[in-house]
Amino acid sequence: MEAPRIVTSGYDVHDHERFDRPGRRSRPRTKQRPAHEDARLARVITIDRGRYTLLLDDADVDGLVMAMKARALGRGSIVVGDDVRVVGDVSGADGTLARIVRVEPRRTVLRRTADDDDPIERVVVANADQLVIVVALADPEPRPRLIDRCLVAAYDAGMDPLLCLTKADLRASNEELARYEPLGVPTVTTRQGGNLDVVREALRDRISVLVGHSGVGKSTLVNALVPGADRVTSGVNVVTGRGRHTSTSAYALRLPFGGWIVDTPGIRSFGLAHVEPDHVLSAFGDLAEAATACPRGCTHTADEAECGLDAAVAAGQISAERVDSFRRLLISREQPVAD
Ligand SMILES: Nc1nc2c(ncn2[C@@H]2O[C@H](COP(=O)(O)OP(=O)(O)OP(=O)(O)O)[C@@H](O)[C@H]2O)c(=O)[nH]1
Ligand SMILES: [Mg+2]
Ligand SMILES: [Zn+2]
């Protein structure tokens, strides 16, 4: 597997230069020393109205610390999953408020836009390396278009996708989901009260973020994996057939068997305005290699007469199913977002 790309540099309260001259990376070394030598390392667990809940790097799960952002950090955003440096009262005692003075460089960022025309992209979660696309086999029905879009977002972000099919107790399988096989998307299946060993194996020692429609069972899964997690869950609304959007903000939890899991609120769409087709392509080594033969500016879609992907299929180097599946993902970017 490719090493995660470093996508942003870290910043701290003394990094004024970073904002004045954003393009400049080669600042004198002396300016890069940490401003607060005594600051503790912590991870952002959740965010609520400007208050950050942190878990100190060396603390157990009970050691949650509330913090605010140092004013001088102003323009930089902090998201769930960020590794930060924190000073002040980090005892976690009631009523205490520590101060975040630095955000460490992010290894990955999962971004989405509200819809495809939305110029404002928001970072959903930082530092995750696996995107778990949670899909109920029934109640609510799978929405392949949303799955396609989540896959595109995962590949674009340099994250490994994992398809997690829930509620297998309600319906055994779904033929439509076979379309993800040619892409090599790993899949796990869960059912109410079922054994989760395979899921644990897939999550162990990784930072995974759960995404999916409301009501598919993301928080239920977290509760089953993390004893005491106590995430609120609730049934699908019988009138609308939709989930109730029970979870309202992202929340990161440490997995007892190693790694982290981030529960997120249900989504209806996944805006992909920010996605570069070639980023998606580079997630598939064999296809990227075939595409080196493409003419300049090739969009790799089926209507490109000289696309290298077609040549590679004709030469028996890659399967037509794999190319078709990849093209369907690319096209999902141009289709309307709403479900
Ligand atoms: N039959 C069955 N029901 C399940 C399963 N997993 C979850 N549920 C039920 O599905 C409903 C929704 O589950 P949640 O965990 O709240 O769903 P969510 O994805 O977190 O929803 P949001 O927070 O709104 O995004 C709850 O009533 C769960 O009990 C499953 O495997 N089988
Ligand atoms: Mg939830
Ligand atoms: Zn091409």
Side-chain angles (χ1 to χ4, degrees):
M1 196 188 70
E2 215 184 306
R5 280 172 280 158
I6 302 287
V7 286
T8 57
S9 58
Y11 58 93
D12 68 28
V13 295
H14 291 250
D15 260 1
H16 299 300
E17 262 197 306
R18 177 179 178 272
F19 299 115
D20 298 341
R21 284 181 283 160
R24 244 182 88 131
R25 302 259 156 197
S26 53
R27 285 175 286 133
R29 252 206 96 66
T30 50
K31 296 231 171 89
Q32 290 182 342
R33 90 192 124 79
H36 296 269
E37 310 278 354
D38 56 340
R40 303 270 301 270
L41 187 61
R43 177 157 293 164
V44 177
I45 301 301
T46 195
I47 305 173
D48 183 23
R49 283 162 291 176
R51 290 287 182 263
Y52 300 82
T53 304
L54 311 178
L55 182 65
L56 292 175
D57 198 38
D58 48 6
D60 58 28
V61 232
D62 296 328
L64 293 177
V65 171
M66 294 301 289
M68 59 183 282
K69 184 162 70 169
R71 197 129 52 107
L73 273 180
R75 287 206 258 167
S77 71
I78 299 178
V79 299
V80 169
D82 260 327
D83 289 325
V84 296
R85 295 278 170 181
V86 62
V87 297
D89 190 340
V90 292
S91 66
D94 270 0
T96 60
L97 202 54
R99 200 156 41 93
I100 298 170
V101 292
R102 181 180 162 82
V103 180
E104 295 294 320
R106 291 171 177 161
R107 294 180 295 280
T108 63
V109 285
L110 177 65
R111 302 168 200 277
R112 66 184 280 240
T113 43
D115 61 56
D116 284 344
D117 303 322
D118 182 358
I120 299 175
E121 61 179 53
R122 287 176 301 151
V123 175
V124 186
V125 171
N127 296 325
D129 53 34
Q130 182 163 255
L131 187 70
V132 184
I133 304 163
V134 186
V135 179
L137 284 160
D139 190 30
E141 290 298 307
R143 289 171 175 80
R145 203 133 43 101
L146 182 62
I147 304 173
D148 288 347
R149 292 181 146 264
C150 290
L151 281 171
V152 169
Y155 294 127
D156 180 64
M159 297 168 67
D160 294 321
L162 172 69
L163 199 53
C164 178
L165 308 177
T166 61
K167 310 200 187 187
D169 52 308
L170 299 183
R171 185 170 304 151
S173 64
N174 179 309
E175 306 71 51
E176 256 189 301
L177 300 177
R179 60 200 259 184
Y180 300 104
E181 273 164 32
L183 293 173
V185 182
T187 303
V188 293
T189 305
T190 65
R191 64 189 66 239
Q192 195 133 53
N195 183 304
L196 288 173
D197 286 349
V198 177
V199 177
R200 285 193 193 91
E201 241 10 86
L203 301 179
R204 188 186 306 283
D205 296 333
R206 312 201 61 174
I207 303 179
S208 303
V209 45
L210 304 179
V211 294
H213 218 269
S214 181
V216 294
K218 298 179 293 296
S219 302
T220 302
L221 185 61
V222 166
N223 285 340
L225 292 167
V226 185
D230 224 11
R231 298 289 293 157
V232 177
T233 62
S234 105
V236 172
N237 186 313
V238 287
V239 179
T240 63
R242 286 191 167 145
R244 296 169 197 267
H245 293 270
T246 307
S247 306
T248 52
S249 53
Y251 198 102
L253 299 102
R254 201 143 67 176
L255 291 166
F257 45 87
W260 287 76
I261 193 157
V262 184
D263 190 12
T264 67
I267 50 168
R268 295 217 177 116
S269 64
F270 208 114
L272 297 173
H274 58 282
V275 165
E276 294 284 341
D278 280 344
H279 259 175
V280 182
L281 181 67
S282 63
F284 301 92
D286 54 342
L287 302 187
E289 197 183 315
T292 56
C294 290
R296 268 189 67 185
C298 182
T299 58
H300 316 304
T301 51
D303 49 17
E304 289 277 0
E306 291 173 69
C307 181
L309 298 181
D310 292 311
V313 169
Q317 286 156 354
I318 40 182
S319 76
E321 289 76 30
R322 189 163 162 83
V323 170
D324 286 348
S325 301
F326 170 72
R327 284 180 168 156
R328 205 193 54 244
L329 283 193
L330 279 188
I331 288 167
S332 77
R333 288 174 55 246
E334 277 126 46
Q335 289 170 342
V337 215
D339 58 352

